[in-house]
Amino acid sequence: MENVIVTIARQYGSGGKTIGEMYAKDQGINCYSREILRMASDDSGINEMLFNQADERLKGTTLFGWAKKVYKGDLIPPESDDFVSDKNLFNYQAKVIKQLAEQESCVLVGRCADFVLKDYPNVVSVFVHAPMDYCIARSLERSSITSEKEMEKFILKTDKFRGDYYHYYTGRTWNDARNYDLCLDSSKLGFEKCVEAIKDYVKIRFDR
């Protein structure tokens, strides 16, 4: 049986990353999130700091919400002035995502991995969501923010960035259920049953 890749997109506070990590641990496989930035830096020779700065720069771009630079898979050569452009930094992240998918079964959190691997038959794309009150309550437990109102503002801002980032590089709507194989409400299932749901889907689809 070929590798099975699970991609996780998630609303802030829904526990999507934790669910991905739990599934990976259960399966004895790796879970990659921001590690992808380090790996892209190692592969490209571009300072990892620039990958982190690209995200912050895009957050402050007024055109980001409706502009698009849909990923097509081409890398820009080092001799080009655009070698360290936001587009090429994403291209190298996508290259790493594809390499991981070809080398091993794993979980990939964020970074538009579902879109990058959309033509791979062995990918299960998951979107984890939950009602706002659940996301607020869970986030307050893990944050220095103490006000529910301030936490709601932070969650809305973070999810807006995730949606804009996704649209910028994919041309798609981040929270559109049609983009994913599974959409899981973590407030109804709980983390362990979300993991079981992913396992059941993989078993049914791939007979494993």
Side-chain angles (χ1 to χ4, degrees):
M1 175 66 193
E2 63 184 340
N3 299 330
V4 173
I5 315 302
V6 174
T7 68
I8 304 281
R10 75 284 187 217
Q11 290 182 321
Y12 189 90
S14 67
K17 183 179 179 182
T18 301
I19 290 166
E21 291 171 340
M22 290 172 62
Y23 174 84
K25 183 177 180 179
D26 180 89
Q27 297 294 298
I29 60 179
N30 291 314
C31 179
Y32 299 99
S33 179
R34 295 196 67 82
E35 296 87 351
I36 293 170
L37 300 183
R38 175 185 55 77
M39 298 166 78
S41 172
D42 290 343
D43 184 67
S44 64
I46 299 171
N47 192 306
E48 184 178 350
M49 182 175 62
L50 293 179
F51 286 89
N52 291 297
Q53 289 176 347
D55 284 1
E56 294 303 315
R57 187 163 54 249
L58 288 172
K59 286 180 183 179
T61 302
T62 56
L63 300 179
F64 181 41
W66 58 269
K68 289 187 291 185
K69 289 190 178 179
V70 176
Y71 168 71
K72 294 182 172 61
D74 298 327
L75 292 171
I76 299 173
E79 61 271 18
S80 171
D81 292 339
D82 292 329
F83 181 62
V84 294
S85 64
D86 296 338
K87 179 180 179 181
N88 206 40
L89 294 175
F90 182 84
N91 290 346
Y92 270 101
Q93 293 174 61
K95 180 185 177 186
V96 168
I97 287 169
K98 288 182 174 180
Q99 288 174 335
L100 290 170
E102 291 162 3
Q103 293 169 2
E104 59 181 284
S105 293
C106 61
V107 175
L108 300 167
V109 180
R111 320 315 298 183
C112 305
D114 60 287
F115 182 81
V116 172
L117 301 177
K118 68 184 188 311
D119 296 324
Y120 285 53
N122 55 328
V123 174
V124 174
S125 56
V126 180
F127 185 81
V128 181
H129 61 98
M132 178 58 75
D133 58 348
Y134 176 88
C135 293
I136 290 173
R138 183 173 176 273
S139 299
L140 285 172
E141 294 175 355
R142 305 175 298 116
S143 173
S144 58
I145 299 175
T146 57
S147 162
E148 290 189 5
K149 186 174 182 180
E150 287 302 311
M151 180 55 75
E152 181 176 7
K153 286 172 59 178
F154 179 79
I155 290 172
L156 290 172
K157 181 179 179 180
T158 301
D159 282 350
K160 182 180 186 305
F161 170 71
R162 289 179 177 177
D164 288 348
Y165 183 95
Y166 188 85
H167 180 260
Y168 188 65
Y169 288 115
T170 72
R172 296 180 176 184
T173 302
W174 173 63
N175 58 358
D176 187 338
R178 292 171 294 184
N179 294 329
Y180 305 96
D181 298 311
L182 285 176
C183 292
L184 302 174
D185 185 336
S186 57
S187 72
K188 293 180 178 178
L189 288 179
F191 291 2
E192 290 184 0
K193 289 185 178 179
C194 282
V195 172
E196 291 302 313
I198 298 170
K199 288 168 61 177
D200 287 345
Y201 181 89
V202 170
K203 182 177 180 180
I204 293 168
R205 181 168 160 189
F206 298 111
D207 192 26
R208 59 177 294 173

